């Protein structure tokens, strides 16, 4: 799994992401922003691994003066008023101490070892606010929709197969804190937060899964008829499932 593979997949998934997963991640970003470790009014913020910029948006609503988004996938990046740059979190194109806060919303979990990106975030920002999914969190719609789509010909890309096989780290709050301290942050506190995303109908759950980066490029290539049949089968598979409540670990470090 390479950063180029992931960036290419997310770039191709941009439209599907905005139509589905962005709704979930926007709710998570609001909960994350409430726990910022610095005073946000007039703060300069780096939205690291920004995707469509929902974390930066949430922080701006709480007073951040400027937000710069960086991501490997140019198609995902937000437009004005956010400034945007294509970049890798292990080699950020910014001078040291450029920001008051770096926000890494569900981006560090793409690394097998988050030490390098966390040290780079410490170089450019005085504080860090980061989220990853809590260890063991899952929702039955994930497997159900993926299985339905496999029956319609979907084959997961290699980078996603690596990811599912253990290509990303899985940390409890204590482990996340330890990485932050090793990266140079003097204080670090992490906690588990549960967020009701508001996604509860079969259509909502299917939109969430079909817009994910491993799936959206395949979905975009389906004819209207094939997509309609796949959606029908997927919505049947998730009918009666619980609404989407996400458990995430929130790290506050400075």
């Amino acid at each position: 799994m390479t950063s180029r593979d992931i960036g290419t997949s997310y770039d191709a998934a941009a439209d599907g992401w905005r139509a589905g997963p962005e709704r979930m991640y926007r709710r998570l970003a609001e909960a994350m922003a409430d726990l910022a470790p610095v005073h946000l009014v007039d703060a300069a913020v780096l939205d690291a691994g920004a995707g469509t910029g929902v974390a930066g948006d949430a922080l701006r609503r709480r007073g951040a003066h400027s937000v710069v988004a960086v991501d490997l996938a140019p198609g995902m990046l937000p437009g004005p008023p956010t400034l945007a740059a294509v970049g890798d979190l292990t080699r950020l194109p910014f001078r040291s101490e450029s920001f008051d806060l770096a926000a890494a919303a569900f981006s560090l979990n793409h690394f097998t070892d988050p030490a390098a990106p966390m040290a780079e975030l410490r170089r450019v920002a005085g504080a860090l606010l980061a989220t990853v999914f809590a260890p063991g969190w899952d929702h039955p719609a994930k497997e159900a929709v993926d299985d339905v789509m496999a029956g319609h010909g979907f084959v997961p890309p290699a980078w996603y197969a690596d990811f599912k096989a253990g290509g990303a780290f899985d940390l409890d709050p204590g482990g996340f804190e330890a990485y932050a301290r090793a990266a140079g942050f003097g204080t670090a506190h992490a906690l588990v937060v549960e967020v009701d995303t508001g996604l509860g109908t079969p259509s909502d759950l299917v939109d969430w899964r079909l817009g994910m980066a491993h799936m959206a490029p395949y979905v975009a290539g389906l004819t209207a008829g094939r997509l309609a049949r796949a959606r029908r089968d997927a919505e049947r598979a998730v009918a009666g499932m619980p609404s989407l409540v996400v458990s995430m670990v929130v790290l506050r470090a400075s």
Side-chain angles (χ1 to χ4, degrees):
M1 177 172 64
T2 69
S3 59
R4 177 176 294 180
D5 294 333
I6 296 172
T8 298
S9 289
Y10 273 84
D11 205 35
D15 289 342
W17 184 277
R18 289 184 171 92
E22 183 180 288
R23 294 173 58 200
M24 179 190 82
Y25 283 100
R26 191 171 293 281
R27 291 289 187 95
L28 301 180
E30 293 294 334
M32 168 186 167
D34 285 338
L35 296 171
V38 298
H39 187 58
L40 288 173
V41 174
D42 295 330
V45 171
L46 173 66
D47 191 352
T52 57
V54 294
D57 289 344
L59 293 164
R60 186 185 290 107
R61 282 190 287 273
R62 287 158 178 77
H65 172 68
S66 64
V67 176
V68 177
V70 63
D71 198 280
L72 283 170
M76 293 282 284
L77 285 166
T82 300
L83 300 175
V86 177
D88 188 323
L89 297 194
T90 63
R91 298 182 299 277
L92 290 167
F94 307 112
R95 292 179 296 181
S96 297
E97 302 178 1
S98 293
F99 304 95
D100 300 304
L101 175 69
F106 299 97
S107 54
L108 294 174
N109 49 287
H110 284 290
F111 294 86
T112 55
D113 181 350
M118 290 178 78
E120 183 69 347
L121 293 172
R122 176 64 186 88
R123 180 184 68 80
V124 301
L128 174 64
L129 178 63
T131 51
V132 295
F133 291 107
W137 176 78
D138 203 356
H139 191 280
K142 295 170 67 175
E143 182 176 1
V145 174
D146 279 20
D147 285 349
V148 166
M149 295 307 293
H152 284 270
F154 169 66
V155 177
W159 70 263
Y160 185 73
D162 290 344
F163 184 87
K164 294 290 286 185
F169 76 98
D170 195 22
L171 284 182
D172 59 18
F176 213 177
E177 292 169 356
Y179 270 106
R181 294 189 186 101
F185 292 99
T187 62
H189 177 66
L191 69 161
V192 176
V193 176
E194 286 202 346
V195 181
D196 186 343
T197 68
L199 304 184
T201 69
S203 180
D204 288 339
L205 296 174
V206 171
D207 284 344
W208 163 48
R209 295 311 298 167
L210 295 191
M212 294 298 289
H214 71 292
M215 181 77 71
Y218 172 77
V219 171
L222 294 176
T223 64
R226 290 183 65 196
L227 177 57
R229 289 191 293 273
R231 280 198 65 97
R232 178 200 62 207
D233 293 346
E235 289 185 17
R236 287 175 177 170
V238 303
M241 288 186 178
S243 61
L244 184 60
V245 177
V246 174
S247 294
M248 64 179 183
V249 182
V250 182
L251 171 71
R252 309 166 72 239
S254 59

